[in-house]
Each structure stands twice: as structure tokens, then as C-alpha cells.
Amino acid sequence: MLQIFIIYYVPSLIFGSTIWRDINLYFTTGDTLSYTGSIIAVLIAFVINYACYFSEIYRGGIESISKGQYEAGYVLGLTKSQIFKKIILKQVVKRIVPPMSNEIITLIKDTALANCIMVGEIIYKANTLAAEEQLIWPLFFAGVFYLIFVGILTIVLGKIEKKLSYFRS
Amino acid sequence: MVILEVKNIKKSFGKTEVLKDISFSLEKGEVLAIIGSSGSGKTTLLRCLNFLENHDSGDIIVNGKLLSDGGEGDLKEEKLRENRLHFGLVFQQFNLFPQYTVLQNITLAPTLLKKGSAEEIEKNALKLIDKVDLNEKRDFYPHELSGGQQQRVAIARALALDPEILCFDEPTSALDPELTGEVLKVIRELKGSDNTMIIVTHEMNFAKNVADKIIFMADGIIEEMGTPEEIFNNPKSEKLKVFIEKAFSEK
């Protein structure tokens, strides 16, 4: 959330630029305000944040492969790229699927943070609707939506994990 | 015919000199066993021969061809790969590729190096699997095999590229005692089929029975070199005497 705030507000606070609002206005037609600028800001925040998390997972995965695997490849006269593609990569994928699953599911839940700069994501819309109609149901269904979405992803990622369980490394 | 000549190899890690001037030569079809206590540089020597470590100075000559003189030029990847192909190495920890079956483990390198048609490679691999007596296990994955079976696959994998010299780095050290026998049996059979081998081992009896020549290493130098009879029955140096006494008294 802090990162979203920084990306969204810092340009205007420090440089006096209103870039995100300008983009919003640029895409606005008629009475309904467009959130394109805000969405771009949120995207940048998420991409930077999760790129860091994921690259860290990849790094950990690659480094966790024992030196022996590389050496076994070397003594067989394979090139570095052959070793990586044919020997290391699959073992890395197997190792990073579980932590990646966690991270992907966290990302789904984190999209709710976009709410804080008024991007119309699920929670925001549900909130608005709940306020307008004086109902609690929209928020409940938003929760159900998250549940379904995360549920599907869990199943898919579980399948990938299972598919790679034929070997142990 | 001399197949391998090693001249004045030196290697240090930082300030620690691990190999101090190692020289020896090996005839084709000969089996050399390297014995010595831990930290004497046996494994490092083997790793230098397989170009997994770059030695600081000294020549490695295979079949009369100078492969490496320890200079900078030997660090190019192309050259390293070419050099490594003269040697095969069987690791203490097997290092099989876990995502491949026994058969795929053996065929992987020949296929990637385009050592013939797919059928030829597979036929050769099946022959090797038969040689190490793993016919029923060809479609198993490494984690489904015992340590001894894994090590035999590793031997077959090394043989698949038909190296001139096959090296074993303590092939039985990671195995349960009851499994060492099967691996040693395979190595013994390889001797019968005229392979040149270098074996780093702690199995004194095995070294005694199989090797044509034994090198005893201590503190980075070849303390004593000779036939098994000379080494075991008539050790000259003090260190070797102590080592042999210890090795046999423990059993």
C-alpha cells in the first residue's frame, strides 16, 4: 500500500506533476471519470513489488540446486546452456512452484489495496454499491469472488505441482 | 602404451597448497588406485584431471596430446569441454539427474552431443544397462533406486561417452556397506574389459585386488607409488606404514 501511495502521490508532491490525474482526465469521456492513470500507477507498484519477490524466489530456486548437478553435466561435456536447459531448469521449476503459489495468491488478495487510491477494483465497487443500496451483500459476494478465484488458482497450481512430483530432487 | 601423463601438477586454494608437484603416468588398460587420508588432495587431483578445477601449473597429457598446461587459455569453455570428454567421472554422491529415468540419464549426454543416431545411442545405452545389471530398472527414476543401483547408473552414464580414462571419486563412500559390493563388482568387471581407470578409494582390500598400481598420497604429494604388493606388503615410508596399519586395524 505504501508503494502504491508513493508511486501515486510522490510525483505530484515533489515535482508538482499531476501525471496520473492527467491521464485519468485524458481518458475520461462524458461524466464518468476514467481511472486509467490510477490503474497504471497501481500496475507499476505491483509490478515492481512482485518482480522483486518473484526474482528472489527464482534466485533461491536456482541456487538451491546442488553443485553436483552442474558438475555432472560438465564432466559429460555439456555446454552451460545445455546444462541449464536440460538439467537444472526442471528441478528449479519443481522447487519454486510452492513458494510461487503462495505469492500469486497473495497478489490476488493484494489487488484490494488498489482501493486506497480509488481504483475501481472489486472491493471498491462492492463498497460503493453497499453504501448506495444500504446492503451488506455486495461485500459478501466480493468475498465469494475472491474465494472462487483463489480456489481455482490453488487447484491449477496444485496440478502443476503434482505433475512435477514424479521425481525428487 | 602410455595413455595419461601427468607432470608436476600444482594446485592451491588461496594460501593452502593442496597439490604439490604431482607426477605420474598410466598405461592403457591399467587401473590406478589412489589412497590416502582425508585432506591429502586425492579428490582435488581427480577434479583437476576432469577439469572441474583448474590446476595452477603442470601438464596433463592424454594419448600424447597436451591437453592443458595450467595456463589461462585452458579456461575457455570450448577447450574445457573438449578436454573433459577424454575423462569420465563417477561422483561420490552419484549426481544423477533426478527428472530423467535410468535410460534417459544415460542417453542424455550422447544425444545432446550428437554422438550418433537415436537408435544407436539407445542400443548402446541398453548394452551399458545390461553391463551394470539394471535391466529391470531402466524406466525407473533415480529416487526409486538404492544407492548402489544409482551409482551403477552413474557408471553407465560415464561409460556412455566412451571416455579414454574413467575416474571414480570414492564411488562407495556414500553407500551402505552391504551395497558397496555390487558397485565394486561392476568396477571389477570393467577392468576385465580393458578400461583405463583411476579410482580414489577408501576400500583397501578393493584397491589391493583390483589396482595394477597404487598411489599413496599425503599432504599433497605422492608419498609412495607402486604395485599393490609393494604398497601393502612392503611399505617404505613411515606415513604409509601408519596409514595401512590404521586402515586394516579398523576392520
Side-chain angles (χ1 to χ4, degrees), chain B residues 5-162:
Chain B
E5 236 188 314
V6 174
K7 280 187 195 161
N8 311 99
I9 290 235
K10 285 179 187 159
K11 169 81 189 166
S12 31
F13 292 112
K15 281 197 178 134
T16 333
E17 253 190 311
V18 185
L19 299 177
K20 306 166 191 161
D21 207 3
I22 302 277
S23 304
F24 65 89
S25 69
L26 199 58
E27 298 276 319
K28 192 170 165 50
E30 243 182 352
V31 177
L32 168 72
I34 303 177
I35 57 173
S37 46
S38 308
S40 57
K42 307 179 303 277
T43 298
T44 309
L45 174 62
L46 215 54
R47 289 171 60 85
C48 284
L49 287 177
N50 280 279
F51 301 94
L52 288 175
E53 304 281 356
N54 191 42
H55 53 285
D56 301 330
S57 64
D59 298 346
I60 297 175
I61 302 163
V62 172
N63 267 335
K65 192 177 153 224
L66 178 68
L67 290 189
S68 165
D69 54 8
E72 289 287 317
D74 301 332
L75 287 172
K76 289 206 185 80
E77 207 200 333
E78 270 305 299
K79 182 96 194 290
L80 277 176
R81 283 180 50 219
E82 209 175 283
N83 285 346
R84 282 177 185 138
L85 283 175
H86 294 278
F87 295 87
L89 178 61
V90 175
F91 296 88
Q92 185 177 354
Q93 298 295 343
F94 331 133
N95 291 334
L96 293 178
F97 308 133
Q99 72 269 45
Y100 292 117
T101 63
V102 168
L103 182 63
Q104 287 167 332
N105 258 286
I106 299 170
T107 54
L108 180 73
T111 311
L112 289 177
L113 297 173
K114 302 193 176 65
K115 292 270 170 184
S117 69
E119 295 91 56
E120 275 169 30
I121 290 170
E122 187 170 330
K123 221 174 105 194
N124 188 35
L126 291 175
K127 224 186 278 168
L128 289 170
I129 291 177
D130 186 50
K131 208 172 185 175
V132 297
D133 204 15
L134 284 171
N135 275 325
E136 294 95 66
K137 305 284 183 188
R138 49 177 272 201
D139 293 320
F140 282 51
Y141 288 94
H143 75 266
E144 299 166 319
L145 303 176
S146 74
Q149 290 166 338
Q150 288 190 43
Q151 191 59 297
R152 285 186 278 152
V153 177
I155 293 171
R157 182 178 69 178
L159 283 171
L161 289 173
D162 206 14

Side-chain angles (χ1 to χ4, degrees), chain A residues 78-138:
Chain A
L78 306 182
T79 63
K80 278 182 181 159
S81 71
Q82 283 173 330
I83 292 172
F84 187 78
K85 275 188 261 172
K86 296 285 178 180
I87 299 169
I88 307 298
L89 192 59
K90 206 162 191 182
Q91 299 182 44
V92 172
V93 171
K94 184 185 165 76
R95 285 192 192 188
I96 63 177
V97 167
M100 262 176 64
S101 309
N102 281 335
E103 221 42 59
I104 289 171
I105 286 163
T106 316
L107 172 61
I108 303 284
K109 292 189 287 179
D110 277 358
T111 55
L113 293 174
N115 189 12
C116 71
I117 55 166
M118 316 274 281
V119 169
E121 48 71 59
I122 304 169
I123 294 290
Y124 182 82
K125 292 279 187 207
N127 243 334
T128 326
L129 207 62
E132 274 170 14
E133 308 283 328
Q134 304 281 310
L135 283 173
I136 198 74
W137 292 111

